[in-house]
Amino acid sequence: MHCTRFFVTLQPKIINKYIMKVAIVGASGAVGQEFLRILDQRNFPMDELVLFGSERSAGRKYTFRGKEIEVKLLQHNDDFKDIDIAFTSAGAGTSKEFAETITKYGAVMIDNSSAFRMDDDVPLVVPECNAADALNRPRGIIANPNCTTIMMVVCLQPLENLSHIKRIHVASYQSASGAGAAAMAELEQQYSEIVEGKSVTVKKFPHQLAYNVIPQIDVFQPNGYTKEEMKMFNETQKIMHTDAKCSAMCVRVSSLRSHSESVWIETERPISVEEAQKALAAAPGVTLKDDPSNLVYPMPLDTAGLDDVYVGRVRKDLSDENGLTFWLSGDQIRKGAALNAVQIGEYLLQERDLPCFA
């Protein structure tokens, strides 16, 4: 399957003849706040933005494009009647409970939780890989994949276009940001407590994360893999429409923001390093940063806050003549969550496939 390239070049005059209303559900969370930044930075065309949250966050006010917007309480009512796109990031339980309320009047729900990802009637979309899948959404829901899966498949797709990928092995190095804003704050708090000689607070992680790595993200399954690791297996196949099997080891590390992954693939035919580098450098959403002789390779410290997935250390797998291995790093909150969802929305706008175009 070839990579879907898309470039949103909508003219304001085309959009302004319609009333475009956008909602963010979970506006006060880390991803919700990133939605606000990205929608503004990318000049996402809209006439009105509505923010929703829980009882804890309802009433808070955020400034967007010079206008103060108050967070409304998410309820089972008609608040979504005129909404065109709802970006939801309030957890799987909330998404399941409110999906019917959100989509009842035709709003497209682009959901950042794990609630619907593997449902057969819900497309799971990374626009660089399978944008067109977003057009077939019987329930009005499009699922945003897991962050580690998103970043990996953005890099796998250009290599899949060269030769079919048969196997994938990946070790992820996931920052505190993957567990939310409170987890990031806890990591910073832990370092302060250690320096000050205080007892270390451990609430958001199963163990102390500061000065440590934890080889567990999410709960263990009967097969010995965690839910996070199984997401990478299942979601990769669904997004890329592939039979490739992905074996993952997901590890929490003490970086604050931006995830990294070490990836090994086996392809049907050998792919040279130069061929792989050329394909990656030309791929949408990917930046090649690969000059190890000069100590140039992606790191979380450098990729935090950036849109692309950065790739380096591309080399042959010494254990497999058809194998390649590479390193990637990217911002989990941006491309791993909010940015990917906004790009889905941009694609729907480009295809004029929203209620406002009906």
Side-chain angles (χ1 to χ4, degrees), residues 79-323:
D79 280 346
F80 290 87
K81 188 171 184 178
D82 297 317
I83 298 295
D84 295 288
I85 299 178
F87 296 106
T88 59
S89 186
T94 299
S95 291
K96 289 178 180 178
E97 179 185 348
F98 285 91
E100 186 175 340
T101 296
I102 292 169
T103 60
K104 181 168 56 175
Y105 293 105
V108 178
M109 178 180 177
I110 303 178
D111 184 50
N112 194 58
S113 80
S114 62
F116 310 108
R117 288 174 183 161
M118 297 312 298
D119 290 8
D120 291 338
D121 55 357
V122 174
L124 184 67
V125 176
V126 176
E128 293 88 346
C129 301
N130 65 328
D133 286 1
L135 304 178
N136 181 20
R137 46 178 194 278
R139 295 162 60 185
I141 303 169
I142 301 169
N144 215 33
N146 183 44
C147 54
T148 47
T149 306
I150 289 174
M151 294 189 293
M152 182 177 71
V153 299
V154 166
C155 300
L156 292 183
Q157 189 65 61
L159 303 176
E160 171 72 15
N161 293 341
L162 298 175
S163 178
H164 176 54
I165 297 169
K166 297 166 61 178
R167 289 184 189 83
I168 306 158
H169 292 86
V170 56
S172 72
Y173 305 82
Q174 298 179 221
S175 64
S177 64
M184 296 167 70
E186 182 172 300
L187 176 61
E188 292 177 316
Q189 179 183 356
Q190 287 181 354
Y191 277 119
S192 295
E193 290 169 340
I194 290 168
V195 169
E196 295 169 7
K198 298 178 181 178
S199 59
V200 176
T201 301
V202 179
K203 293 181 179 178
K204 303 300 293 187
F205 305 105
H207 303 280
Q208 174 185 316
L209 184 58
Y211 297 116
N212 196 20
V213 296
I214 304 172
Q216 176 192 354
I217 298 177
D218 216 321
V219 298
F220 285 101
Q221 304 298 288
N223 64 359
Y225 287 79
T226 65
K227 282 183 70 176
E228 184 84 355
E229 292 158 354
M230 292 309 302
K231 288 174 188 176
M232 299 193 76
F233 180 99
N234 294 314
E235 293 178 18
T236 299
Q237 291 189 334
K238 183 173 180 179
I239 296 162
M240 296 183 66
H241 303 282
T242 182
D243 59 356
K245 293 180 171 60
C246 177
S247 181
M249 169 71 83
C250 293
V251 181
R252 186 75 69 193
V253 299
S254 56
S255 58
L256 192 63
R257 178 163 171 164
S258 211
H259 290 355
S260 301
E261 301 173 31
S262 187
V263 185
W264 291 259
I265 61 170
E266 180 185 350
T267 52
E268 287 188 340
R269 70 163 177 86
I271 298 175
S272 70
V273 170
E274 294 74 20
E275 192 178 9
Q277 288 174 323
K278 183 178 179 180
L280 289 164
V286 177
T287 294
L288 185 68
K289 189 176 182 180
D290 194 9
D291 186 10
S293 63
N294 289 306
L295 310 183
V296 175
Y297 32 70
M299 295 182 292
L301 193 63
D302 301 323
T303 59
L306 302 179
D307 287 348
D308 276 6
V309 180
Y310 285 72
V311 181
R313 299 212 58 200
V314 181
R315 60 202 189 279
K316 294 293 291 185
D317 184 346
L318 297 180
S319 70
D320 187 342
E321 65 179 28
N322 284 14

